[in-house]
Amino acid sequence: MSELHKFIFEGLPVRGMLVRLTESWQELLARREGASDAFPTPVRALLGEMAAAGALMQANIKFNGALILQVFGDGPVRLAVAEVQPDLAFRATAKVVGEVKPDAKLEAMLNVSGKGRCAITLDPKDKLPGQQPYQGVVPLHGDRREPLQELSQVLEHYMLQSEQLDTRLVLAADDRIAAGLLIQRLPVEGAGNLGGQRNEDEIGLNESFNRIAHLAATLTREELLTLDADTILRRLFWEEQLRRFEPMAGVHGPRFECSCSRERVGSMLRSLGRDEIEGILAEQGRVEIGCDFCGLKYHFDPVDAAGLFMPAGSQPPGSSTIN
């Protein structure tokens, strides 16, 4: 079962989280299995890492809205996106326009000309009038403009710039599991704040965080993908005093869930206008819309389409079309 574990290090300004997406990640991939637009292996791995990272960040900030993680650029992968809701329901997709080599890293997929970007958007559920989602954007290169090859490096750079918090992130994904470990230095509190100490004054200097981050960095991709949470935490931090909280799993944990629906697709088609829809029907006999996130196909035959533009209460009986 997919699960997310939170923990803190007793007496130290360091917290951590470990996420394992198992059956939920497999369900997402199964939606595209055998399809003509199935993702290449490196893209599947990237999306898995994004889903794991998104779950870690959403659980970390406890935000009442969607957290949307995007990477985009000018390579064969134009866009990859993962969306995580406050209850940790997630979905992910990508737009692939060219050949992706089996060993392609982030630069080869999205940052061919050095213009790739990573954006994190926080979209509140209950927006105030005129309120816009918050978005932070960072390039896919480091401070010396060196291309970053791993998503974990990009997100560590993002957290350092946006939150002034030291972060260590280990991510891995294959077709069976997507997983991630996050270690983060806590903001200065209490006497530190009273003394005028700024949070950024501690960047890179906190010995406790540096020690624990070094231990986390020894976790290999293979270990992250094959070992259970208890074994990982015991092997890495057996000398530390770890306080663990109740795991988040099942309906309260990370799970695949798509918010698409026939009603939403119908509203989108209605916005295109009657003439546009009738033109598609004349050419193809029906309108077919596929959800980019879950792969579900929605079909509208002429009777369904006509009902979209009739006043409420006067629609004819629906057809027997099955999605």
Side-chain angles (χ1 to χ4, degrees):
M1 180 179 294
S2 297
E3 56 189 5
L4 187 143
H5 300 259
K6 292 184 176 183
F7 52 92
I8 61 173
F9 294 84
E10 293 281 12
L12 303 178
V14 185
R15 63 185 167 194
M17 282 186 288
L18 176 66
V19 67
R20 291 171 50 83
L21 308 177
T22 52
E23 86 295 338
S24 57
W25 173 238
Q26 295 165 21
E27 180 183 355
L28 185 152
L29 292 181
R31 298 297 186 101
R32 287 182 176 270
E33 187 175 356
S36 60
D37 58 348
F39 298 126
T41 300
V43 177
R44 297 199 301 273
L46 173 62
L47 289 176
E49 291 186 3
M50 293 178 67
L56 290 169
M57 290 187 291
Q58 177 68 278
N60 199 26
I61 61 176
K62 300 178 182 178
F63 174 67
N64 186 29
L67 183 147
I68 305 165
L69 170 60
Q70 301 175 75
V71 285
F72 49 91
D74 58 358
V77 181
R78 286 289 188 266
L79 170 71
V81 56
E83 177 187 282
V84 185
Q85 297 295 330
D87 61 358
L88 299 184
F90 71 89
R91 57 182 188 166
T93 190
K95 180 176 179 59
V96 182
V97 298
E99 180 185 1
V100 179
K101 295 183 178 180
D103 59 349
K105 298 291 187 180
L106 205 59
E107 180 184 13
M109 285 191 284
L110 289 132
N111 199 27
V112 174
S113 300
K115 298 181 180 179
R117 296 290 183 270
C118 171
I120 296 178
T121 304
L122 301 179
D123 190 9
K125 279 189 173 295
D126 302 315
K127 294 189 183 71
L128 299 174
Q131 183 180 6
Q132 297 297 318
Y134 165 80
Q135 185 177 76
V137 182
V138 294
L140 301 183
H141 59 70
D143 292 333
R144 298 183 298 276
R145 301 198 61 81
E146 73 281 9
L148 299 177
Q149 302 294 355
E150 302 292 341
L151 177 68
S152 57
Q153 297 173 321
V154 174
L155 295 177
E156 288 174 358
H157 190 58
Y158 176 91
M159 294 303 298
L160 200 58
Q161 288 195 341
S162 65
E163 304 294 334
Q164 289 81 52
L165 288 178
D166 293 302
T167 304
R168 180 56 51 91
L169 195 58
V170 184
L171 300 169
D174 57 18
D175 288 352
R176 185 183 59 86
I177 182 172
L181 171 67
L182 179 145
I183 300 296
Q184 191 170 67
R185 177 176 57 83
L186 291 167
V188 174
E189 296 181 353
N193 280 334
L194 292 174
Q197 182 181 1
R198 298 179 304 167
N199 191 42
E200 56 265 34
D201 290 342
E202 281 279 292
I203 292 176
L205 301 177
N206 187 279
E207 293 183 2
S208 297
F209 171 82
N210 290 340
R211 182 184 71 256
I212 292 170
H214 176 74
L215 294 173
T218 66
L219 180 65
T220 67
R221 180 181 186 276
E222 186 68 18
E223 289 172 334
L224 186 55
L225 292 176
T226 59
L227 300 179
D228 61 76
D230 292 342
T231 302
I232 290 174
L233 295 179
R234 184 172 61 252
R235 284 191 180 184
L236 290 177
F237 309 122
W238 63 275
E239 289 187 308
E240 305 292 338
Q241 286 189 294
L242 211 63
R243 185 200 300 178
R244 297 176 58 179
F245 300 96
E246 190 70 23
M248 303 171 70
V251 296
H252 302 295
R255 64 199 182 281
F256 169 72
E257 187 176 287
C258 189
S259 58
C260 72
S261 68
R262 188 173 179 84
E263 290 71 25
R264 289 190 175 190
V265 173
S267 296
M268 183 273 292
L269 295 178
R270 196 177 298 114
S271 70
L272 295 177
R274 185 188 295 269
D275 292 344
E276 180 73 17
I277 300 304
E278 289 181 347
I280 298 174
L281 289 171
E283 180 179 342
Q284 303 179 12
R286 67 176 183 175
V287 180
E288 178 180 288
I289 301 293
C291 175
D292 286 339
F293 284 95
C294 69
L296 188 63
K297 304 291 185 183
Y298 293 92
H299 301 143
F300 291 77
D301 64 15
V303 174
D304 298 324
L308 295 174
F309 300 98
M310 297 185 67
S314 60
Q315 287 93 341
S319 74
S320 59
T321 301
I322 298 176
N323 297 316

